[in-house]
C-alpha cells in the first residue's frame, strides 16, 4: 500500500519524477466518456490532479482524484488518492489515504486524522500511517478511522 501511495504522490512533485507529457511514453487507460470536472464556487484545489466527471465542492490538497468522484461542501482531502466513483460527504476529512472505487465516505467521517493504539482496523500492510479503504466500503456518519488502518467491505 505504501508504495502504491508513493508512486501516485510522485506525480504531484515539482518537478515531477515522471514526465507524463513525454510523447515517448504510451499511456493506456480505460476512461469513460464523462463531462469535464466541476469545481464549485468555494472549492479549493491545490497541487492536485482532478479527472473528468468529478465534482469538487470542498478542498483538495496534494491529491489525485479519479473519474466521477464527488467531494461535498466542507470536505477536505489531503495527500490522498481517491479512485473512480468515490463519494465524500459534507465535512469529511481524509488524510494520507487510498480510497477504493465506489467507496462512500459519509458526512463528518475522519480518516487518518488521529493515531489510536487500540485501532480495530490496524494493518501491517498500511505502513507510514497510510489508510486503505477497500472498494465499495460505506463508512458510518461521524466515524473515525485512525492512521495505519485497512477497512474492508463487510
Amino acid at each position: 500500500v505504501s508504495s502504491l501511495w508513493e508512486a501516485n504522490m510522485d506525480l504531484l512533485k515539482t518537478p515531477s519524477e515522471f514526465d507524463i507529457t513525454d510523447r515517448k511514453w504510451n499511456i493506456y487507460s480505460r476512461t469513460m466518456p464523462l463531462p469535464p470536472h466541476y469545481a464549485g464556487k468555494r472549492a479549493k484545489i491545490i497541487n492536485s490532479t482532478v479527472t473528468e466527471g468529478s465534482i469538487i465542492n470542498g478542498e483538495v490538497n496534494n491529491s489525485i482524484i479519479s473519474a466521477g468522484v464527488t467531494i461535498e461542501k466542507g470536505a477536505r482531502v489531503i495527500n490522498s488518492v481517491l479512485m473512480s466513483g468515490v463519494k465524500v460527504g459534507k465535512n469529511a476529512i481524509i488524510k494520507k489515504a487510498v480510497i477504493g472505487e465506489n467507496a462512500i465516505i459519509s458526512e463528518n467521517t475522519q480518516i487518518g486524522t488521529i493515531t489510536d493504539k487500540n485501532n480495530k482496523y490496524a494493518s501491517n500492510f498500511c505502513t507510514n500511517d497510510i489508510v486503505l479503504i477497500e472498494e465499495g466500503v460505506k463508512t458510518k456518519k461521524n466515524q473515525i478511522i485512525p492512521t495505519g488502518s485497512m477497512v474492508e467491505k463487510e
Side-chain angles (χ1 to χ4, degrees):
V1 174
S2 183
S3 59
L4 167 69
W5 180 84
E6 288 167 0
N8 280 286
M9 291 294 111
D10 283 345
L11 292 172
L12 300 175
K13 287 182 181 173
T14 306
S16 175
E17 292 180 23
F18 303 105
D19 182 6
I20 61 174
T21 62
D22 185 346
R23 294 206 178 260
K24 293 177 196 164
W25 288 28
N26 290 322
I27 299 175
Y28 300 99
S29 63
R30 56 180 176 118
T31 54
M32 299 170 280
L34 295 169
H37 70 272
Y38 170 79
K41 289 181 183 180
R42 293 196 172 91
K44 188 188 252 184
I45 302 171
I46 302 164
N47 191 43
S48 298
T49 300
V50 179
T51 308
E52 296 91 357
S54 294
I55 300 170
I56 313 296
N57 286 305
E59 178 183 330
V60 177
N61 192 337
N62 202 50
S63 295
I64 295 174
I65 307 302
S66 301
V69 169
T70 300
I71 299 173
E72 296 289 337
K73 191 161 101 177
R76 296 181 2 204
V77 178
I78 304 156
N79 297 323
S80 296
V81 178
L82 276 58
M83 304 306 280
S84 298
V86 170
K87 308 287 184 226
V88 181
K90 291 180 182 178
N91 303 312
I93 300 171
I94 300 171
K95 289 186 177 180
K96 205 171 179 182
V98 178
I99 311 295
E101 287 186 352
N102 301 313
I104 299 172
I105 310 303
S106 299
E107 79 179 66
N108 299 314
T109 295
Q110 292 185 35
I111 297 174
T113 60
I114 66 161
T115 301
D116 180 0
K117 55 184 163 183
N118 298 318
N119 180 4
K120 72 178 184 176
Y121 301 111
S123 171
N124 292 331
F125 295 112
C126 296
T127 58
N128 300 322
D129 294 331
I130 292 173
V131 177
L132 177 63
I133 307 293
E134 186 180 40
E135 68 177 274
V137 165
K138 181 177 181 182
T139 66
K140 296 179 179 86
K141 214 174 187 182
N142 304 311
Q143 186 172 2
I144 297 173
I145 299 170
T147 60
S149 295
M150 180 167 27
V151 180
E152 299 176 82
K153 195 171 178 181
E154 294 177 359

